[in-house]
Amino acid sequence: MILATYDLWAFVSENREELLDGLLNTLKVSAFAIAGAFVIGLALGAARAHRIPVVSQLTAIYVEVIRNTPILVQIFFIFYALPQLGIVFDQFTVAWLSVMIWGGAFNSENFRAGFQAVAYRYREAGYALGFAPFSTFVNVTLPIGGRIALPSSINTYISVLKNTSLMYVIGYAELTTTSLNISNLTLQTTESLTMLAIVYLTLVWSLSALIRLLESRLALPESR
Amino acid sequence: MTASEAATVRTANGEDGDGTNGAGPVVRVEGLRKSFGTNLVLDGVDVTVAAGEVLVIIGRSGSGKSTLLRCINLLEPIDEGRILLEGDEITRKGVDVSRVRQRIGMVFQQFNLFPHLTAIDNVTLAARKIRKLSREQAEQRARELLKTVGLEEKADQHPHQLSGGQQQRVAIARALMMEPHVMLFDEVTSALDPELVGEVLIVMRDLARIGMTMLVVTHEMQFAREVGDRLVFMDEGRIVEEGAPADVLDNPSDERTRRFLRRTLQLPESLEELTVNEEGVEE
Ligand SMILES: Nc1ncnc2c1ncn2[C@@H]1O[C@H](COP(=O)(O)OP(=O)(O)OP(=O)(O)O)[C@@H](O)[C@H]1O
Ligand SMILES: [Mg+2]
């Protein structure tokens, strides 16, 4: 009986404007969060790999806290607890900020590991040529270690994208929230969830295809 | 290397410009002491290298040869003594370390070419970023240098596509690109298959011929004899013997030098006569 009434196409076409807005919001939040997680990961990963005092200890604490607490608690913290301290963000900001902070922590570990995997002898070759320490990072450690970190950081970006669906809990109208809100009214739960699965699969596959393309152009030549 | 190629390297050498070469020694090490923790690695080393001179450094593993070269290139802080490069004390406080290193070329046992860059990009990177040469200028010069080391055809290969000997020659070209006033070679043929050693030593011989000042740590005794102007033997962080390469190698006056040469089978005894104990080759 349920199968008889199942109509995925009807669900999508009847609600296409709302769903499209939701999809757009998902993409916006993901883009902000991934860009931020990239910058945070790069900067803090470099600080940790080079044991920059203070920054490196603070980063270690940040990573510990984020990795060892549920992301839902983190989202609620930003959405409910910070306002009590007088820090209020709109839903959109909470959405990208929370997954960015989460992704940044994981990504700083990815980059730390990548930079630490760069053999000291390459850096030493940089110093011997006359590169100052920061130039050695930019010209030697970053291009080699960044490539090493690429596969693991891709996984983090994919998780960031998927985690934007958790914004359901704060009612931010990204794709999951939009779709589930519609089906709560229309009882097209199966259609709603099928559509979500298909769209997320497509998004994740496109994202990884994109980054894999980048990876194949950037990969260290011997591993091509 | 032809005469005209040699000339291009020589002008690159800076000897035509500032007049600091030719006058005093290029490198002067005075009373150098260096420990790693409680391990005293350099125990008062004095050494002077004149412009255009090739100093060969030999000694057992752990005697401090690499550490000496690394101190000269300011890759290790020193504990005592001082090092002068063309008359400037480079170990004084406040010295611009990176600028000093631009005057010193260094080639390593493991080549250390940047794996993500082609041969020519390895050679041009520092010149473009530090000396601010344009890509065209840098590549033109790099191709000349790759030609002098016999690798113009390999400019666009990545390090992993090159043999060890080819990688090491690219590494030499990379160091020369910065127009160093002195070159440091740290066992640059030790990681190579025997049949690749010659191609690297020949490049170094050519460099010596055109007047490059060189400090060469090596186990290649034929190179030491034929290319070296002077040879020092190091033991436990000290220079225990010094002289013309052939004199030291054929008639070592110090017992430690004699023992080292016997153990590396460089003395004229027949292998027939030698035996071993737990220490290695028996005296
Ligand atoms: N970074 C370091 N930290 C601690 N000890 C070191 C370090 N580098 C070198 N040493 C020690 O200093 C001593 C001299 O080392 P060095 O590499 O200068 O010897 P070497 O003469 O070049 O030997 P080899 O022929 O094996 O290359 C060794 O006992 C080594 O263990
Ligand atoms: Mg050594």
Side-chain angles (χ1 to χ4, degrees):
Chain A
M1 202 202 104
I2 290 174
L3 277 178
T5 61
Y6 180 86
D7 190 342
L8 181 59
W9 180 246
F11 175 77
V12 173
S13 62
E14 278 158 24
N15 304 293
R16 64 174 177 278
E17 276 177 21
E18 277 171 273
L19 289 174
L20 215 58
D21 280 346
L23 176 63
L24 234 56
N25 284 340
T26 290
L27 291 177
K28 251 186 350 196
V29 169
S30 300
F32 272 59
I34 289 173
F38 171 73
V39 174
I40 293 174
L42 194 67
L44 298 186
R48 273 200 94 184
H50 291 86
R51 295 169 212 269
I52 310 272
V54 187
V55 185
S56 140
Q57 284 84 4
L58 290 177
T59 304
I61 296 171
Y62 161 54
V63 170
E64 279 300 295
V65 169
I66 298 299
R67 286 214 303 190
N68 297 310
T69 58
I71 182 167
L72 264 186
V73 173
Q74 297 162 24
I75 296 167
F76 282 144
F77 190 87
I78 295 173
F79 193 64
Y80 294 116
L82 287 189
Q84 308 215 325
L85 308 169
I87 306 169
V88 186
F89 296 117
D90 60 32
Q91 281 175 315
F92 172 68
T93 308
V94 175
W96 64 261
L97 192 65
S98 54
V99 281
M100 181 191 79
I101 291 172
W102 181 89
F106 281 82
N107 215 20
S108 71
E109 282 294 282
N110 299 333
F111 276 107
R112 179 186 63 76
F115 295 147
Q116 284 180 342
V118 179
Y120 180 68
R121 59 200 181 87
Y122 295 126
R123 270 187 278 158
E124 191 163 78
Y127 296 139
L129 285 167
F131 281 111
F134 185 72
S135 311
T136 305
F137 174 75
V138 171
N139 291 292
V140 180
T141 314
L142 179 61
I144 302 175
R147 285 167 166 87
I148 298 172
L150 203 58
S152 56
S153 69
I154 290 172
N155 287 335
T156 299
Y157 304 139
I158 288 171
S159 300
V160 164
L161 185 138
K162 289 188 294 181
N163 280 341
T164 59
S165 73
L166 290 170
M167 297 314 142
Y168 183 68
V169 300
I170 61 165
Y172 174 68
E174 44 68 63
L175 186 63
T176 302
T177 311
T178 308
S179 186
L180 292 181
N181 283 350
I182 296 169
S183 59
N184 283 346
L185 294 176
T186 64
L187 302 179
Q188 292 165 295
T189 314
T190 317
E191 287 86 343
S192 176
L193 291 171
T194 317
M195 189 276 308
L196 286 175
I198 293 172
V199 174
Y200 281 111
L201 263 175
T202 312
L203 286 181
V204 167
W205 278 340
S206 319
L207 180 64
S208 34
L210 193 81
I211 303 180
R212 214 148 281 129
L213 191 78
L214 189 77
E215 187 185 12
S216 69
R217 309 196 69 200
L218 282 180
L220 286 181
E222 62 255 51
S223 59
R224 251 179 220 158
Chain B
M1 202 180 295
T2 66
S4 71
E5 283 157 10
T8 62
V9 176
R10 194 195 316 265
T11 43
N13 217 359
E15 287 174 46
D16 51 346
D18 47 18
T20 44
N21 280 357
V26 177
V27 175
R28 187 183 191 97
V29 176
E30 294 174 356
L32 174 57
R33 264 174 230 279
K34 164 81 189 167
S35 312
F36 290 108
T38 56
N39 181 10
L40 183 59
V41 172
L42 294 176
D43 185 11
V45 172
D46 294 283
V47 76
T48 300
V49 188
E53 190 179 26
V54 177
L55 178 76
V56 174
I57 302 164
I58 64 171
R60 321 193 339 211
S61 178
S63 58
K65 308 178 297 292
S66 297
T67 306
L68 174 61
L69 292 194
R70 293 166 50 76
C71 286
I72 292 172
N73 209 6
L74 305 181
L75 291 168
E76 294 289 351
I78 69 170
D79 297 338
E80 267 178 62
R82 49 186 213 146
I83 300 172
L84 290 86
L85 178 66
E86 298 174 319
D88 304 335
E89 186 187 342
I90 58 175
T91 42
R92 73 178 193 285
K93 276 201 174 61
V95 80
D96 185 341
V97 171
S98 304
R99 287 196 77 94
V100 168
R101 291 189 189 130
Q102 290 165 29
R103 287 193 278 157
I104 304 175
M106 185 156 187
V107 186
F108 302 88
Q109 184 172 344
Q110 297 295 335
F111 334 131
N112 301 358
L113 290 182
F114 304 128
H116 62 298
L117 297 179
T118 59
I120 191 154
D121 287 345
N122 262 282
V123 176
T124 59
L125 180 73
R128 286 189 285 117
K129 304 291 176 182
I130 300 172
R131 291 174 53 209
K132 308 286 181 201
L133 295 190
S134 71
R135 189 174 273 277
E136 297 82 70
Q137 281 177 306
E139 288 192 350
Q140 194 192 341
R141 176 72 188 134
R143 284 186 198 281
E144 288 169 19
L145 286 169
L146 285 174
K147 192 170 174 207
T148 63
V149 301
L151 289 174
E152 50 191 327
E153 304 296 324
K154 300 287 182 186
D156 298 318
Q157 308 271 302
H158 280 89
H160 74 106
Q161 298 168 300
L162 301 175
S163 73
Q166 291 169 335
Q167 290 188 54
Q168 196 58 295
R169 287 184 280 150
V170 173
I172 293 173
R174 176 174 72 173
L176 291 175
M177 186 76 191
M178 293 304 283
E179 306 187 350
H181 299 191
V182 54
M183 288 280 286
L184 311 177
F185 293 88
D186 190 3
E187 293 198 37
V188 297
T189 57
S190 297
L192 298 178
D193 288 339
E195 84 271 18
L196 303 178
V197 168
E199 63 192 52
V200 174
L201 293 180
I202 288 168
V203 166
M204 291 164 66
R205 176 205 64 193
D206 289 345
L207 209 51
R209 279 189 185 160
I210 59 170
M212 179 59 79
T213 309
M214 297 164 51
L215 281 78
V216 183
V217 173
T218 188
H219 296 303
E220 300 296 334
M221 298 305 168
Q222 192 193 353
F223 178 88
R225 253 174 224 279
E226 295 188 22
V227 180
D229 294 310
R230 205 149 45 89
L231 182 144
V232 297
F233 174 76
M234 285 186 70
D235 189 72
E236 297 187 336
R238 258 175 266 173
I239 291 177
V240 298
E241 187 156 0
E242 176 170 357
D247 290 351
V248 177
L249 294 176
D250 295 335
N251 291 305
S253 58
D254 192 282
E255 177 57 26
R256 289 162 290 188
T257 318
R258 207 185 54 72
R259 194 183 310 142
F260 172 79
L261 290 173
R262 181 210 295 275
R263 288 180 171 199
T264 56
L265 304 183
Q266 300 294 332
L267 280 187
E269 286 125 317
S270 157
L271 194 50
E272 232 10 70
E273 301 160 19
L274 299 172
T275 52
V276 290
N277 61 16
E278 70 272 20
E279 297 279 289
V281 177
E282 201 152 13
E283 299 305 315

